[in-house]
Amino acid sequence: MMNLDHQKAFFNQGMTRDLSFRKSQLNALYHAIEKHEKNLLLALEKDLNKSPYEAYMTEIGYVKKSISFALKHLNKWMKTKHVKTPYYQLFTQSYIQPEPLGIVLIIGAYNYPVQLLIEPLIGAIAAGNTAVLKPSEQAVYTEQALVEMIRDTFDQSYIDIITGDAAVTSSLLDLKFDHIFFTGSTRVGKIVYEKAAKQLIPVTLELGGKSPAIVTQKANLKHSAKRIAFGKLINSGQTCIAPDYVYVEKIIEKEFISELQKMIKKFSDPHGNYGAMITDKHYQNIVALAAANPHGKTAEKNQEKRTIEPIIMHHVSWEDDIMKREIFGPILPVLTFDNTSELIATLKEKEKPLALYLFTDDKAEQRKIFSSLSFGGGAINDTIIHFANPHLPFGGVGQSGIGTYHGYASFLTFSHMKGYTKKGIKLDLPLTYPPASDKKFHMIKKFLK
Ligand code: NAD
């Protein structure tokens, strides 16, 4: 049975508190990714049939850029900040000092198995923690490549990596970590939350859900179709912030679907070389979902490669099975609405999604929809790209998650912001000390309003 004694001893030595140590470890991680790049790319191809181009853009290059960003800003992030003090607290200075939480557990999902493990790790290192990593067991080749890279780079008492199935993850959740960072399904997120609560361990939960792409009659249909197709097709729909479905204004339905079909055709590999579903089980689930719709029956598929041609589903309603769960595959249902007030009223009844995309050139419509609906994050006239801006916090709300990360938000997630005051010893305001008097009471009433 694993315990955290070595990590605790390492953390208690105190070196993770130094800027120079954190920078050297981030640099080590950067060089490790470069050294193991070929291995990681090959593993991603074997697990998900990810092309090196896509894998570099969304995983390898993505985390390298993220390390560079953290290295550039870390000095500023770590500084103790001097803040204002209320005037009645005489001769007092106030500060906020970020401090590491301690030992953190990072649990990854299968769909971006490198990025979803390494991105939080960057935050954990930057904030001065030690970490235990648990990659997804479903991405078997990448799991192995990650083990090789991490073991080759870090002292095991500082950054460790543990592999295994749900039972292994479950036993890790019995250890007394100082923070748990989980990426995965809402179902497992609930298990993690419950176990963490038993020991009062704070959590970040990066979960999933059904993210809509809304297209109104004021949208540029060509651009909308292109950007929605991009967001859906990347990793064959296995992206937490992929548009799960399209919600299009009825009056432009036909025209929009025709644009979407063109774009999907243009983006699809002529040799049918699509991203693969991660497992046979997931492949069968997506095939069954597709087959439940008349349009899905025509989809090309390859059981051996676990690939499925992208499908647009027309005439879908909220009662259909496909609208009752996150799809996580290359099926794009299209629903229609009559006007934006009806759309807002309907979406307010649904769970708050991880992302929402709105396609319209009308500023009033943009304001109306973005200020009425709650969602983790999103984009106007695009999909996915908000994820890749390190100046934006990323995370869900409601059932799509708890907490945020990326850039400074990662640093905050893995730090405790310790607030304290410092007071001179020469002068004291008698007002705060007993015994009470009517005069003191009168003065306190004047200050505290
Ligand atoms: P998953 O929930 O099945 O697995 C995630 C992790 O949980 C794995 O490491 C696994 O070992 C562990 N796990 C599985 N069952 C467990 C159990 N019973 N007890 C303890 N641990 C357990 O998720 P997945 O299938 O790998 O990923 C797909 C899901 O993740 C989708 O819902 C997707 O939306 C979501 N996701 C969210 C984000 C985000 O940033 N919000 C990113 C990627 C994926």
Side-chain angles (χ1 to χ4, degrees):
M1 173 65 192
M2 188 196 171
N3 66 54
L4 298 178
D5 293 350
H6 291 298
Q7 292 248 338
K8 204 170 205 161
F10 192 99
F11 181 75
N12 284 341
Q13 285 173 46
M15 62 232 220
T16 67
R17 292 179 180 263
D18 294 339
L19 172 67
S20 59
F21 177 82
R22 298 185 196 182
K23 280 190 158 176
S24 72
Q25 299 305 316
L26 286 171
N27 274 314
L29 181 59
Y30 190 97
H31 292 121
I33 293 165
E34 285 197 323
K35 182 175 165 196
H36 291 258
E37 181 176 314
K38 265 198 187 138
N39 228 9
L40 292 168
L41 287 174
L42 191 67
L44 288 165
E45 197 161 2
K46 286 187 180 166
D47 280 326
L48 288 151
N49 202 27
K50 262 187 210 192
S51 69
Y53 161 74
E54 187 178 312
Y56 194 87
M57 179 169 68
T58 61
E59 305 224 46
I60 311 295
Y62 180 91
V63 291
K64 279 169 74 180
K65 184 78 190 154
S66 193
I67 296 171
S68 306
F69 187 85
L71 280 167
K72 189 171 162 206
H73 296 281
L74 188 54
N75 196 6
K76 192 175 77 208
W77 294 345
M78 279 178 70
K79 282 212 168 98
T80 296
K81 230 168 88 186
H82 186 204
V83 295
K84 286 185 183 168
T85 307
Y87 66 93
Y88 48 81
Q89 289 186 17
L90 296 179
F91 308 109
T92 305
Q93 304 289 321
S94 301
Y95 303 91
I96 301 171
Q97 181 178 31
E99 65 172 17
L101 297 173
I103 310 164
V104 303
L105 172 63
I106 298 173
I107 305 172
Y110 78 76
N111 53 335
Y112 292 86
V114 177
Q115 188 225 106
L116 296 173
L117 204 71
I118 302 301
E119 181 67 25
L121 176 63
I122 295 166
I125 293 176
N129 300 279
T130 72
V132 174
L133 308 176
K134 167 61 184 72
S136 165
E137 70 280 16
Q138 297 195 74
V140 282
Y141 292 99
T142 313
E143 178 192 48
Q144 193 47 42
L146 283 164
V147 168
E148 282 166 29
M149 181 179 85
I150 295 294
R151 291 250 192 280
D152 184 33
T153 313
F154 296 109
D155 182 331
Q156 228 170 308
S157 323
Y158 172 47
I159 310 289
D160 202 357
I161 183 162
I162 307 288
T163 59
D165 57 10
V168 171
T169 318
S170 188
S171 65
L172 283 174
L173 293 171
D174 292 328
L175 301 177
K176 195 151 180 1
F177 285 98
D178 296 293
H179 191 90
I180 298 171
F181 188 105
F182 171 82
T183 304
S185 59
T186 301
R187 180 186 71 82
V188 180
K190 287 179 185 169
I191 298 173
V192 171
Y193 202 12
E194 200 176 334
K195 287 203 110 176
K198 289 209 171 100
Q199 303 192 78
L200 211 62
I201 299 171
V203 293
T204 305
L205 302 176
E206 299 287 339
L207 311 176
K210 288 185 89 61
S211 300
I214 299 162
V215 187
T216 81
Q217 56 175 313
K218 312 256 176 64
N220 175 315
L221 295 193
K222 264 203 178 80
H223 282 139
S224 313
K226 179 165 87 182
R227 293 169 188 182
I228 290 171
F230 165 77
K232 186 71 181 190
L233 296 198
I234 196 162
N235 205 21
S236 254
Q238 298 168 105
T239 303
C240 56
I241 48 169
D244 184 274
Y245 62 99
V246 181
Y247 215 0
V248 62
E249 199 156 356
K250 197 160 187 56
I251 195 162
I252 50 157
E253 181 191 10
K254 270 207 181 115
E255 205 186 333
F256 174 73
I257 288 181
S258 138
E259 288 297 338
L260 194 59
Q261 268 159 344
K262 277 189 234 161
M263 280 303 161
I264 287 187
K265 194 151 182 249
K266 191 169 167 194
F267 287 172
S268 296
D269 187 309
H271 310 294
N273 195 21
Y274 304 109
M277 300 297 99
I278 187 71
T279 54
D280 289 333
K281 189 171 162 222
H282 189 50
Y283 169 84
Q284 296 299 354
N285 283 341
I286 298 293
V287 168
L289 263 183
N293 182 285
H295 301 279
K297 291 200 173 108
T298 57
E300 287 292 325
K301 47 194 181 289
N302 184 323
Q303 185 159 4
E304 204 188 321
K305 289 178 161 175
R306 304 188 308 276
T307 58
I308 304 160
E309 182 191 35
I311 314 150
I312 299 171
M313 275 191 182
H314 313 220
H315 310 304
V316 175
S317 84
W318 288 105
E319 277 63 54
D320 292 324
D321 273 356
I322 192 120
M323 294 311 291
K324 295 199 174 119
R325 44 160 278 191
E326 181 183 20
I327 301 169
F328 230 57
I331 308 175
L332 189 53
V334 179
L335 282 83
T336 59
F337 62 89
D338 289 320
N339 57 64
T340 51
S341 299
E342 175 213 308
L343 161 100
I344 290 170
T346 308
L347 289 183
K348 274 191 173 166
E349 294 300 315
K350 310 289 171 198
E351 297 294 359
K352 297 174 181 177
L354 183 59
L356 183 143
Y357 306 110
L358 171 64
F359 291 85
T360 173
D361 284 338
D362 184 305
K363 292 217 166 57
E365 228 168 42
Q366 294 174 356
R367 264 196 308 274
K368 180 178 169 188
I369 293 172
F370 262 51
S371 56
S372 309
L373 293 173
S374 178
F375 48 91
I380 293 174
N381 292 327
D382 211 343
T383 60
I384 308 277
I385 55 148
H386 63 295
F387 187 89
N389 179 354
H391 298 282
L392 294 175
F394 177 83
V397 56
Q399 297 288 298
S400 57
I402 296 174
T404 57
Y405 75 134
H406 289 188
Y408 185 50
S410 288
F411 181 82
L412 290 176
T413 283
F414 288 108
S415 296
H416 166 60
M417 301 309 267
K418 186 162 66 185
Y420 68 91
T421 58
K422 190 163 118 183
K423 202 167 177 178
I425 51 166
K426 286 192 183 142
L427 273 170
D428 239 345
L429 196 64
L431 188 66
T432 37
Y433 298 103
S437 70
D438 285 350
K439 197 176 158 203
K440 283 182 180 177
F441 193 23
H442 179 72
M443 283 184 73
I444 281 179
K445 276 188 162 172
K446 270 195 155 174
F447 287 139
L448 301 183
K449 62 181 181 191

